[in-house]
mmCIF file of all heavy atoms in Angstrom:
data_model
loop_
_atom_site.group_PDB
_atom_site.id
_atom_site.type_symbol
_atom_site.label_atom_id
_atom_site.label_comp_id
_atom_site.label_asym_id
_atom_site.label_seq_id
_atom_site.Cartn_x
_atom_site.Cartn_y
_atom_site.Cartn_z
ATOM 1 N N MET A 39 -14.571 5.532 3.628
ATOM 2 C CA MET A 39 -14.442 4.103 3.365
ATOM 3 C C MET A 39 -13.830 3.405 4.576
ATOM 4 O O MET A 39 -12.877 3.898 5.152
ATOM 5 C CB MET A 39 -13.545 3.899 2.144
ATOM 6 C CG MET A 39 -13.350 2.470 1.750
ATOM 7 S SD MET A 39 -12.245 2.354 0.339
ATOM 8 C CE MET A 39 -13.013 1.034 -0.557
ATOM 9 N N LYS A 40 -14.433 2.269 4.911
ATOM 10 C CA LYS A 40 -13.920 1.562 6.086
ATOM 11 C C LYS A 40 -13.270 0.255 5.645
ATOM 12 O O LYS A 40 -13.802 -0.499 4.851
ATOM 13 C CB LYS A 40 -15.084 1.246 7.033
ATOM 14 C CG LYS A 40 -15.705 2.459 7.666
ATOM 15 C CD LYS A 40 -16.627 2.025 8.800
ATOM 16 C CE LYS A 40 -17.190 3.187 9.567
ATOM 17 N NZ LYS A 40 -18.508 3.622 9.042
ATOM 18 N N LEU A 41 -12.089 0.025 6.245
ATOM 19 C CA LEU A 41 -11.289 -1.140 5.836
ATOM 20 C C LEU A 41 -11.072 -2.104 7.002
ATOM 21 O O LEU A 41 -10.940 -1.670 8.152
ATOM 22 C CB LEU A 41 -9.894 -0.676 5.414
ATOM 23 C CG LEU A 41 -9.742 0.255 4.210
ATOM 24 C CD1 LEU A 41 -8.276 0.638 4.044
ATOM 25 C CD2 LEU A 41 -10.235 -0.422 2.929
ATOM 26 N N VAL A 42 -10.986 -3.402 6.675
ATOM 27 C CA VAL A 42 -10.355 -4.345 7.551
ATOM 28 C C VAL A 42 -8.931 -4.481 7.008
ATOM 29 O O VAL A 42 -8.749 -4.758 5.826
ATOM 30 C CB VAL A 42 -11.053 -5.719 7.559
ATOM 31 C CG1 VAL A 42 -10.147 -6.797 8.048
ATOM 32 C CG2 VAL A 42 -12.312 -5.668 8.403
ATOM 33 N N VAL A 43 -7.928 -4.220 7.839
ATOM 34 C CA VAL A 43 -6.545 -4.361 7.378
ATOM 35 C C VAL A 43 -5.925 -5.629 7.982
ATOM 36 O O VAL A 43 -6.085 -5.929 9.155
ATOM 37 C CB VAL A 43 -5.665 -3.117 7.674
ATOM 38 C CG1 VAL A 43 -6.104 -1.959 6.857
ATOM 39 C CG2 VAL A 43 -5.657 -2.764 9.121
ATOM 40 N N VAL A 44 -5.199 -6.335 7.112
ATOM 41 C CA VAL A 44 -4.550 -7.568 7.546
ATOM 42 C C VAL A 44 -3.092 -7.466 7.128
ATOM 43 O O VAL A 44 -2.800 -7.375 5.934
ATOM 44 C CB VAL A 44 -5.198 -8.804 6.900
ATOM 45 C CG1 VAL A 44 -4.566 -10.081 7.417
ATOM 46 C CG2 VAL A 44 -6.704 -8.824 7.111
ATOM 47 N N PHE A 57 -1.912 1.644 10.323
ATOM 48 C CA PHE A 57 -3.280 1.983 9.900
ATOM 49 C C PHE A 57 -4.186 2.131 11.138
ATOM 50 O O PHE A 57 -5.113 2.965 11.140
ATOM 51 C CB PHE A 57 -3.860 0.907 8.977
ATOM 52 C CG PHE A 57 -3.684 1.228 7.513
ATOM 53 C CD1 PHE A 57 -2.721 0.592 6.759
ATOM 54 C CD2 PHE A 57 -4.506 2.186 6.906
ATOM 55 C CE1 PHE A 57 -2.560 0.897 5.407
ATOM 56 C CE2 PHE A 57 -4.328 2.497 5.548
ATOM 57 C CZ PHE A 57 -3.351 1.864 4.808
ATOM 58 N N THR A 74 -12.172 -0.952 10.551
ATOM 59 C CA THR A 74 -13.098 -1.714 11.407
ATOM 60 C C THR A 74 -12.423 -2.904 12.076
ATOM 61 O O THR A 74 -12.987 -3.517 12.959
ATOM 62 C CB THR A 74 -14.295 -2.233 10.548
ATOM 63 O OG1 THR A 74 -13.760 -2.861 9.385
ATOM 64 C CG2 THR A 74 -15.221 -1.120 10.149
ATOM 65 N N GLY A 75 -11.219 -3.207 11.658
ATOM 66 C CA GLY A 75 -10.484 -4.297 12.312
ATOM 67 C C GLY A 75 -9.062 -4.333 11.772
ATOM 68 O O GLY A 75 -8.857 -4.018 10.583
ATOM 69 N N PHE A 77 -5.421 -6.743 11.890
ATOM 70 C CA PHE A 77 -4.862 -8.037 12.271
ATOM 71 C C PHE A 77 -3.407 -8.148 11.772
ATOM 72 O O PHE A 77 -3.099 -7.583 10.714
ATOM 73 C CB PHE A 77 -5.689 -9.168 11.675
ATOM 74 C CG PHE A 77 -7.127 -9.083 12.078
ATOM 75 C CD1 PHE A 77 -8.028 -8.300 11.337
ATOM 76 C CD2 PHE A 77 -7.602 -9.777 13.178
ATOM 77 C CE1 PHE A 77 -9.367 -8.220 11.708
ATOM 78 C CE2 PHE A 77 -8.955 -9.706 13.555
ATOM 79 C CZ PHE A 77 -9.835 -8.910 12.820
ATOM 80 N N ILE A 130 -6.938 -17.739 10.314
ATOM 81 C CA ILE A 130 -6.892 -16.349 9.880
ATOM 82 C C ILE A 130 -8.330 -15.844 9.528
ATOM 83 O O ILE A 130 -8.773 -14.812 10.021
ATOM 84 C CB ILE A 130 -5.971 -16.195 8.646
ATOM 85 C CG1 ILE A 130 -4.581 -16.724 8.984
ATOM 86 C CG2 ILE A 130 -5.906 -14.748 8.178
ATOM 87 C CD1 ILE A 130 -3.654 -16.880 7.776
ATOM 88 N N VAL A 131 -9.015 -16.627 8.722
ATOM 89 C CA VAL A 131 -10.315 -16.184 8.217
ATOM 90 C C VAL A 131 -11.334 -16.077 9.384
ATOM 91 O O VAL A 131 -12.114 -15.131 9.455
ATOM 92 C CB VAL A 131 -10.827 -17.132 7.141
ATOM 93 C CG1 VAL A 131 -12.239 -16.811 6.731
ATOM 94 C CG2 VAL A 131 -9.919 -17.033 5.931
ATOM 95 N N ALA A 133 -10.632 -15.464 12.511
ATOM 96 C CA ALA A 133 -10.262 -14.306 13.346
ATOM 97 C C ALA A 133 -10.829 -13.006 12.767
ATOM 98 O O ALA A 133 -11.329 -12.156 13.467
ATOM 99 C CB ALA A 133 -8.764 -14.223 13.515
ATOM 100 N N ILE A 134 -10.750 -12.909 11.433
ATOM 101 C CA ILE A 134 -11.190 -11.661 10.787
ATOM 102 C C ILE A 134 -12.668 -11.403 11.043
ATOM 103 O O ILE A 134 -13.082 -10.250 11.218
ATOM 104 C CB ILE A 134 -10.905 -11.767 9.256
ATOM 105 C CG1 ILE A 134 -9.417 -11.699 9.031
ATOM 106 C CG2 ILE A 134 -11.631 -10.663 8.488
ATOM 107 C CD1 ILE A 134 -8.986 -11.987 7.610
ATOM 108 N N ARG A 135 -13.426 -12.480 11.116
ATOM 109 C CA ARG A 135 -14.868 -12.295 11.347
ATOM 110 C C ARG A 135 -15.147 -11.663 12.720
ATOM 111 O O ARG A 135 -16.228 -11.162 12.945
ATOM 112 C CB ARG A 135 -15.557 -13.640 11.249
ATOM 113 C CG ARG A 135 -16.928 -13.543 10.630
ATOM 114 C CD ARG A 135 -17.725 -14.796 10.902
ATOM 115 N NE ARG A 135 -16.891 -16.001 10.747
ATOM 116 C CZ ARG A 135 -16.831 -16.746 9.681
ATOM 117 N NH1 ARG A 135 -17.558 -16.434 8.645
ATOM 118 N NH2 ARG A 135 -16.049 -17.821 9.618
ATOM 119 N N THR A 136 -14.190 -11.755 13.631
ATOM 120 C CA THR A 136 -14.413 -11.203 14.983
ATOM 121 C C THR A 136 -14.263 -9.684 15.004
ATOM 122 O O THR A 136 -14.461 -9.064 16.037
ATOM 123 C CB THR A 136 -13.419 -11.783 16.004
ATOM 124 O OG1 THR A 136 -12.109 -11.309 15.675
ATOM 125 C CG2 THR A 136 -13.446 -13.321 16.020
ATOM 126 N N ALA A 137 -13.875 -9.059 13.883
ATOM 127 C CA ALA A 137 -13.756 -7.580 13.863
ATOM 128 C C ALA A 137 -15.064 -6.975 14.379
ATOM 129 O O ALA A 137 -16.126 -7.386 13.946
ATOM 130 C CB ALA A 137 -13.469 -7.104 12.435
ATOM 131 N N PHE A 140 -17.515 -5.509 11.784
ATOM 132 C CA PHE A 140 -17.242 -6.187 10.510
ATOM 133 C C PHE A 140 -18.312 -5.836 9.445
ATOM 134 O O PHE A 140 -18.011 -5.595 8.270
ATOM 135 C CB PHE A 140 -17.185 -7.699 10.721
ATOM 136 C CG PHE A 140 -16.820 -8.429 9.501
ATOM 137 C CD1 PHE A 140 -15.537 -8.403 9.016
ATOM 138 C CD2 PHE A 140 -17.774 -9.135 8.782
ATOM 139 C CE1 PHE A 140 -15.169 -9.064 7.857
ATOM 140 C CE2 PHE A 140 -17.417 -9.792 7.602
ATOM 141 C CZ PHE A 140 -16.106 -9.751 7.149
ATOM 142 N N PHE A 141 -19.560 -5.805 9.885
ATOM 143 C CA PHE A 141 -20.679 -5.576 8.938
ATOM 144 C C PHE A 141 -20.593 -4.211 8.227
ATOM 145 O O PHE A 141 -21.157 -3.998 7.185
ATOM 146 C CB PHE A 141 -22.024 -5.745 9.639
ATOM 147 C CG PHE A 141 -22.247 -4.753 10.743
ATOM 148 C CD1 PHE A 141 -22.949 -3.586 10.497
ATOM 149 C CD2 PHE A 141 -21.685 -4.940 12.000
ATOM 150 C CE1 PHE A 141 -23.123 -2.651 11.520
ATOM 151 C CE2 PHE A 141 -21.858 -3.994 13.016
ATOM 152 C CZ PHE A 141 -22.575 -2.850 12.766
ATOM 153 N N THR A 143 -17.819 -2.908 7.126
ATOM 154 C CA THR A 143 -16.587 -2.876 6.315
ATOM 155 C C THR A 143 -16.910 -2.757 4.824
ATOM 156 O O THR A 143 -17.789 -3.452 4.314
ATOM 157 C CB THR A 143 -15.798 -4.175 6.531
ATOM 158 O OG1 THR A 143 -15.633 -4.337 7.947
ATOM 159 C CG2 THR A 143 -14.464 -4.153 5.843
ATOM 160 N N ASP A 144 -16.204 -1.843 4.139
ATOM 161 C CA ASP A 144 -16.383 -1.678 2.695
ATOM 162 C C ASP A 144 -15.429 -2.576 1.898
ATOM 163 O O ASP A 144 -15.728 -2.971 0.772
ATOM 164 C CB ASP A 144 -16.122 -0.249 2.282
ATOM 165 C CG ASP A 144 -17.146 0.682 2.905
ATOM 166 O OD1 ASP A 144 -18.349 0.491 2.660
ATOM 167 O OD2 ASP A 144 -16.761 1.596 3.667
ATOM 168 N N ALA A 145 -14.215 -2.800 2.451
ATOM 169 C CA ALA A 145 -13.224 -3.557 1.686
ATOM 170 C C ALA A 145 -12.120 -4.069 2.627
ATOM 171 O O ALA A 145 -11.997 -3.613 3.764
ATOM 172 C CB ALA A 145 -12.587 -2.652 0.627
ATOM 173 N N PHE A 146 -11.342 -5.019 2.093
ATOM 174 C CA PHE A 146 -10.169 -5.514 2.845
ATOM 175 C C PHE A 146 -8.906 -4.910 2.237
ATOM 176 O O PHE A 146 -8.851 -4.694 1.007
ATOM 177 C CB PHE A 146 -10.047 -7.043 2.691
ATOM 178 C CG PHE A 146 -11.185 -7.779 3.352
ATOM 179 C CD1 PHE A 146 -12.323 -8.125 2.656
ATOM 180 C CD2 PHE A 146 -11.084 -8.091 4.675
ATOM 181 C CE1 PHE A 146 -13.361 -8.801 3.271
ATOM 182 C CE2 PHE A 146 -12.124 -8.765 5.315
ATOM 183 C CZ PHE A 146 -13.247 -9.118 4.601
ATOM 184 N N LEU A 147 -7.911 -4.684 3.082
ATOM 185 C CA LEU A 147 -6.607 -4.303 2.583
ATOM 186 C C LEU A 147 -5.599 -5.277 3.215
ATOM 187 O O LEU A 147 -5.450 -5.323 4.430
ATOM 188 C CB LEU A 147 -6.259 -2.864 2.947
ATOM 189 C CG LEU A 147 -4.973 -2.324 2.359
ATOM 190 C CD1 LEU A 147 -5.065 -2.241 0.826
ATOM 191 C CD2 LEU A 147 -4.618 -0.960 2.930
ATOM 192 N N ILE A 148 -4.949 -6.084 2.372
ATOM 193 C CA ILE A 148 -4.039 -7.099 2.863
ATOM 194 C C ILE A 148 -2.632 -6.633 2.480
ATOM 195 O O ILE A 148 -2.373 -6.315 1.319
ATOM 196 C CB ILE A 148 -4.382 -8.461 2.250
ATOM 197 C CG1 ILE A 148 -5.873 -8.759 2.523
ATOM 198 C CG2 ILE A 148 -3.553 -9.586 2.865
ATOM 199 C CD1 ILE A 148 -6.677 -9.074 1.335
ATOM 200 N N ILE A 149 -1.716 -6.599 3.474
ATOM 201 C CA ILE A 149 -0.447 -5.883 3.289
ATOM 202 C C ILE A 149 0.749 -6.792 3.547
ATOM 203 O O ILE A 149 0.732 -7.583 4.521
ATOM 204 C CB ILE A 149 -0.375 -4.709 4.306
ATOM 205 C CG1 ILE A 149 -1.667 -3.900 4.272
ATOM 206 C CG2 ILE A 149 0.854 -3.849 4.051
ATOM 207 C CD1 ILE A 149 -1.822 -2.964 5.473
ATOM 208 N N VAL A 164 -3.638 -15.515 1.351
ATOM 209 C CA VAL A 164 -4.617 -14.894 2.245
ATOM 210 C C VAL A 164 -5.610 -14.009 1.437
ATOM 211 O O VAL A 164 -6.808 -14.015 1.702
ATOM 212 C CB VAL A 164 -3.912 -14.078 3.346
ATOM 213 C CG1 VAL A 164 -4.911 -13.280 4.168
ATOM 214 C CG2 VAL A 164 -3.110 -15.000 4.258
ATOM 215 N N THR A 165 -5.118 -13.336 0.399
ATOM 216 C CA THR A 165 -6.001 -12.539 -0.433
ATOM 217 C C THR A 165 -7.042 -13.440 -1.108
ATOM 218 O O THR A 165 -8.233 -13.134 -1.123
ATOM 219 C CB THR A 165 -5.176 -11.786 -1.511
ATOM 220 O OG1 THR A 165 -4.161 -11.009 -0.839
ATOM 221 C CG2 THR A 165 -6.040 -10.833 -2.335
ATOM 222 N N MET A 167 -8.024 -16.399 -0.081
ATOM 223 C CA MET A 167 -8.921 -16.958 0.951
ATOM 224 C C MET A 167 -10.001 -15.949 1.328
ATOM 225 O O MET A 167 -11.173 -16.286 1.457
ATOM 226 C CB MET A 167 -8.103 -17.175 2.232
ATOM 227 C CG MET A 167 -7.592 -18.552 2.396
ATOM 228 S SD MET A 167 -6.174 -18.556 3.524
ATOM 229 C CE MET A 167 -6.546 -17.323 4.729
ATOM 230 N N ILE A 168 -9.591 -14.684 1.496
ATOM 231 C CA ILE A 168 -10.549 -13.665 1.910
ATOM 232 C C ILE A 168 -11.559 -13.432 0.769
ATOM 233 O O ILE A 168 -12.738 -13.295 1.037
ATOM 234 C CB ILE A 168 -9.801 -12.354 2.260
ATOM 235 C CG1 ILE A 168 -9.101 -12.558 3.617
ATOM 236 C CG2 ILE A 168 -10.726 -11.157 2.294
ATOM 237 C CD1 ILE A 168 -8.278 -11.382 4.131
ATOM 238 N N ARG A 169 -11.102 -13.495 -0.431
ATOM 239 C CA ARG A 169 -12.019 -13.329 -1.557
ATOM 240 C C ARG A 169 -13.020 -14.458 -1.645
ATOM 241 O O ARG A 169 -14.199 -14.273 -1.880
ATOM 242 C CB ARG A 169 -11.251 -13.179 -2.872
ATOM 243 C CG ARG A 169 -11.293 -11.756 -3.314
ATOM 244 C CD ARG A 169 -10.736 -11.562 -4.657
ATOM 245 N NE ARG A 169 -11.533 -12.235 -5.687
ATOM 246 C CZ ARG A 169 -11.369 -11.947 -6.976
ATOM 247 N NH1 ARG A 169 -10.492 -11.060 -7.363
ATOM 248 N NH2 ARG A 169 -12.091 -12.541 -7.864
ATOM 249 N N ASP A 170 -12.499 -15.661 -1.414
ATOM 250 C CA ASP A 170 -13.382 -16.828 -1.463
ATOM 251 C C ASP A 170 -14.438 -16.768 -0.383
ATOM 252 O O ASP A 170 -15.595 -17.124 -0.567
ATOM 253 C CB ASP A 170 -12.598 -18.136 -1.354
ATOM 254 C CG ASP A 170 -11.774 -18.397 -2.599
ATOM 255 O OD1 ASP A 170 -11.973 -17.678 -3.591
ATOM 256 O OD2 ASP A 170 -10.899 -19.307 -2.563
ATOM 257 N N ARG A 171 -14.009 -16.327 0.795
ATOM 258 C CA ARG A 171 -14.893 -16.372 1.955
ATOM 259 C C ARG A 171 -15.805 -15.146 2.039
ATOM 260 O O ARG A 171 -16.949 -15.223 2.439
ATOM 261 C CB ARG A 171 -14.019 -16.472 3.208
ATOM 262 C CG ARG A 171 -14.762 -17.035 4.432
ATOM 263 C CD ARG A 171 -15.153 -18.516 4.278
ATOM 264 N NE ARG A 171 -14.071 -19.408 4.566
ATOM 265 C CZ ARG A 171 -13.804 -19.867 5.799
ATOM 266 N NH1 ARG A 171 -14.537 -19.516 6.813
ATOM 267 N NH2 ARG A 171 -12.791 -20.715 5.976
ATOM 268 N N TYR A 172 -15.287 -13.994 1.660
ATOM 269 C CA TYR A 172 -16.072 -12.729 1.801
ATOM 270 C C TYR A 172 -16.194 -12.068 0.452
ATOM 271 O O TYR A 172 -15.829 -10.911 0.286
ATOM 272 C CB TYR A 172 -15.397 -11.792 2.787
ATOM 273 C CG TYR A 172 -15.089 -12.423 4.125
ATOM 274 C CD1 TYR A 172 -13.782 -12.679 4.516
ATOM 275 C CD2 TYR A 172 -16.122 -12.705 5.031
ATOM 276 C CE1 TYR A 172 -13.508 -13.240 5.767
ATOM 277 C CE2 TYR A 172 -15.841 -13.274 6.260
ATOM 278 C CZ TYR A 172 -14.533 -13.557 6.611
ATOM 279 O OH TYR A 172 -14.266 -14.082 7.820
ATOM 280 N N GLY A 173 -16.690 -12.803 -0.537
ATOM 281 C CA GLY A 173 -16.679 -12.334 -1.920
ATOM 282 C C GLY A 173 -17.438 -11.067 -2.167
ATOM 283 O O GLY A 173 -17.251 -10.422 -3.204
ATOM 284 N N ASP A 174 -18.338 -10.665 -1.266
ATOM 285 C CA ASP A 174 -19.151 -9.464 -1.555
ATOM 286 C C ASP A 174 -18.378 -8.204 -1.327
ATOM 287 O O ASP A 174 -18.826 -7.109 -1.704
ATOM 288 C CB ASP A 174 -20.418 -9.484 -0.682
ATOM 289 C CG ASP A 174 -20.078 -9.568 0.796
ATOM 290 O OD1 ASP A 174 -19.043 -10.177 1.134
ATOM 291 O OD2 ASP A 174 -20.822 -8.988 1.643
ATOM 292 N N LYS A 175 -17.195 -8.265 -0.693
ATOM 293 C CA LYS A 175 -16.401 -7.053 -0.484
ATOM 294 C C LYS A 175 -15.087 -7.189 -1.244
ATOM 295 O O LYS A 175 -14.504 -8.270 -1.220
ATOM 296 C CB LYS A 175 -16.058 -6.893 0.996
ATOM 297 C CG LYS A 175 -17.269 -6.743 1.919
ATOM 298 C CD LYS A 175 -16.802 -6.582 3.346
ATOM 299 C CE LYS A 175 -17.857 -6.999 4.367
ATOM 300 N NZ LYS A 175 -19.065 -6.172 4.355
ATOM 301 N N PRO A 176 -14.609 -6.099 -1.854
ATOM 302 C CA PRO A 176 -13.361 -6.231 -2.589
ATOM 303 C C PRO A 176 -12.151 -6.485 -1.666
ATOM 304 O O PRO A 176 -12.126 -6.035 -0.520
ATOM 305 C CB PRO A 176 -13.207 -4.876 -3.272
ATOM 306 C CG PRO A 176 -14.237 -4.002 -2.729
ATOM 307 C CD PRO A 176 -15.233 -4.788 -1.965
ATOM 308 N N ALA A 177 -11.204 -7.234 -2.170
ATOM 309 C CA ALA A 177 -9.970 -7.503 -1.434
ATOM 310 C C ALA A 177 -8.815 -6.839 -2.177
ATOM 311 O O ALA A 177 -8.434 -7.237 -3.283
ATOM 312 C CB ALA A 177 -9.759 -8.993 -1.351
ATOM 313 N N TYR A 178 -8.282 -5.763 -1.566
ATOM 314 C CA TYR A 178 -7.128 -5.065 -2.167
ATOM 315 C C TYR A 178 -5.866 -5.478 -1.465
ATOM 316 O O TYR A 178 -5.875 -5.788 -0.261
ATOM 317 C CB TYR A 178 -7.329 -3.541 -2.030
ATOM 318 C CG TYR A 178 -8.608 -3.051 -2.680
ATOM 319 C CD1 TYR A 178 -9.588 -2.362 -1.942
ATOM 320 C CD2 TYR A 178 -8.857 -3.315 -4.045
ATOM 321 C CE1 TYR A 178 -10.757 -1.932 -2.538
ATOM 322 C CE2 TYR A 178 -10.035 -2.897 -4.606
ATOM 323 C CZ TYR A 178 -10.967 -2.216 -3.876
ATOM 324 O OH TYR A 178 -12.137 -1.806 -4.470
ATOM 325 N N ALA A 179 -4.771 -5.452 -2.203
ATOM 326 C CA ALA A 179 -3.482 -5.762 -1.580
ATOM 327 C C ALA A 179 -2.613 -4.520 -1.613
ATOM 328 O O ALA A 179 -2.716 -3.691 -2.501
ATOM 329 C CB ALA A 179 -2.813 -6.894 -2.327
ATOM 330 N N LEU A 180 -1.775 -4.394 -0.591
ATOM 331 C CA LEU A 180 -0.740 -3.350 -0.605
ATOM 332 C C LEU A 180 0.601 -4.098 -0.573
ATOM 333 O O LEU A 180 0.941 -4.753 0.423
ATOM 334 C CB LEU A 180 -0.913 -2.439 0.611
ATOM 335 C CG LEU A 180 -0.159 -1.106 0.595
ATOM 336 C CD1 LEU A 180 -0.796 -0.120 1.566
ATOM 337 C CD2 LEU A 180 1.311 -1.261 0.938
ATOM 338 N N ALA A 210 -6.160 -10.548 -6.424
ATOM 339 C CA ALA A 210 -6.538 -9.293 -5.755
ATOM 340 C C ALA A 210 -7.422 -8.440 -6.643
ATOM 341 O O ALA A 210 -7.253 -8.458 -7.892
ATOM 342 C CB ALA A 210 -5.313 -8.510 -5.351
ATOM 343 N N ASP A 211 -8.372 -7.718 -6.078
ATOM 344 C CA ASP A 211 -9.164 -6.798 -6.899
ATOM 345 C C ASP A 211 -8.347 -5.623 -7.380
ATOM 346 O O ASP A 211 -8.640 -5.057 -8.410
ATOM 347 C CB ASP A 211 -10.370 -6.324 -6.070
ATOM 348 C CG ASP A 211 -11.406 -7.430 -5.906
ATOM 349 O OD1 ASP A 211 -11.994 -7.847 -6.928
ATOM 350 O OD2 ASP A 211 -11.572 -7.931 -4.780
ATOM 351 N N ALA A 212 -7.338 -5.236 -6.595
ATOM 352 C CA ALA A 212 -6.355 -4.249 -7.066
ATOM 353 C C ALA A 212 -5.142 -4.402 -6.191
ATOM 354 O O ALA A 212 -5.243 -4.875 -5.041
ATOM 355 C CB ALA A 212 -6.906 -2.826 -6.959
ATOM 356 N N PHE A 214 -2.052 -2.162 -4.720
ATOM 357 C CA PHE A 214 -1.290 -0.930 -4.528
ATOM 358 C C PHE A 214 0.175 -1.297 -4.466
ATOM 359 O O PHE A 214 0.586 -2.101 -3.606
ATOM 360 C CB PHE A 214 -1.678 -0.254 -3.193
ATOM 361 C CG PHE A 214 -2.999 0.419 -3.210
ATOM 362 C CD1 PHE A 214 -4.150 -0.251 -2.764
ATOM 363 C CD2 PHE A 214 -3.155 1.719 -3.672
ATOM 364 C CE1 PHE A 214 -5.380 0.365 -2.784
ATOM 365 C CE2 PHE A 214 -4.395 2.347 -3.692
ATOM 366 C CZ PHE A 214 -5.518 1.671 -3.242
ATOM 367 N N PHE A 243 -3.339 7.603 2.551
ATOM 368 C CA PHE A 243 -4.694 7.075 2.448
ATOM 369 C C PHE A 243 -5.694 7.874 3.308
ATOM 370 O O PHE A 243 -6.909 7.666 3.200
ATOM 371 C CB PHE A 243 -4.730 5.615 2.911
ATOM 372 C CG PHE A 243 -4.113 4.650 1.948
ATOM 373 C CD1 PHE A 243 -2.721 4.421 1.940
ATOM 374 C CD2 PHE A 243 -4.883 3.977 1.009
ATOM 375 C CE1 PHE A 243 -2.149 3.518 1.036
ATOM 376 C CE2 PHE A 243 -4.334 3.091 0.111
ATOM 377 C CZ PHE A 243 -2.958 2.870 0.122
ATOM 378 N N ILE A 269 -14.038 2.305 -4.949
ATOM 379 C CA ILE A 269 -14.093 0.915 -5.442
ATOM 380 C C ILE A 269 -14.120 0.920 -7.005
ATOM 381 O O ILE A 269 -13.396 0.128 -7.653
ATOM 382 C CB ILE A 269 -15.309 0.185 -4.863
ATOM 383 C CG1 ILE A 269 -15.047 -0.060 -3.364
ATOM 384 C CG2 ILE A 269 -15.584 -1.147 -5.593
ATOM 385 C CD1 ILE A 269 -16.246 -0.566 -2.560
ATOM 386 N N LEU A 272 -10.549 1.418 -8.653
ATOM 387 C CA LEU A 272 -9.442 0.523 -8.390
ATOM 388 C C LEU A 272 -9.562 -0.793 -9.189
ATOM 389 O O LEU A 272 -10.594 -1.445 -9.153
ATOM 390 C CB LEU A 272 -9.379 0.183 -6.874
ATOM 391 C CG LEU A 272 -9.165 1.365 -5.947
ATOM 392 C CD1 LEU A 272 -9.205 0.867 -4.489
ATOM 393 C CD2 LEU A 272 -7.863 2.087 -6.228
#
Side-chain angles (χ1 to χ4, degrees):
M39 181 181 217
K40 294 192 175 93
L41 298 175
V42 160
V43 292
V44 184
F57 265 104
T74 48
F77 303 86
I130 304 169
V131 173
I134 290 172
R135 215 196 320 262
T136 67
F140 185 73
F141 62 96
T143 307
D144 296 300
F146 293 93
L147 186 66
I148 307 125
I149 311 165
V164 172
T165 305
M167 265 158 35
I168 287 179
R169 254 188 65 164
D170 289 351
R171 201 68 81 89
Y172 307 110
D174 58 328
K175 300 180 203 295
Y178 302 123
L180 195 160
D211 287 294
F214 286 94
F243 287 85
I269 290 170
L272 300 177

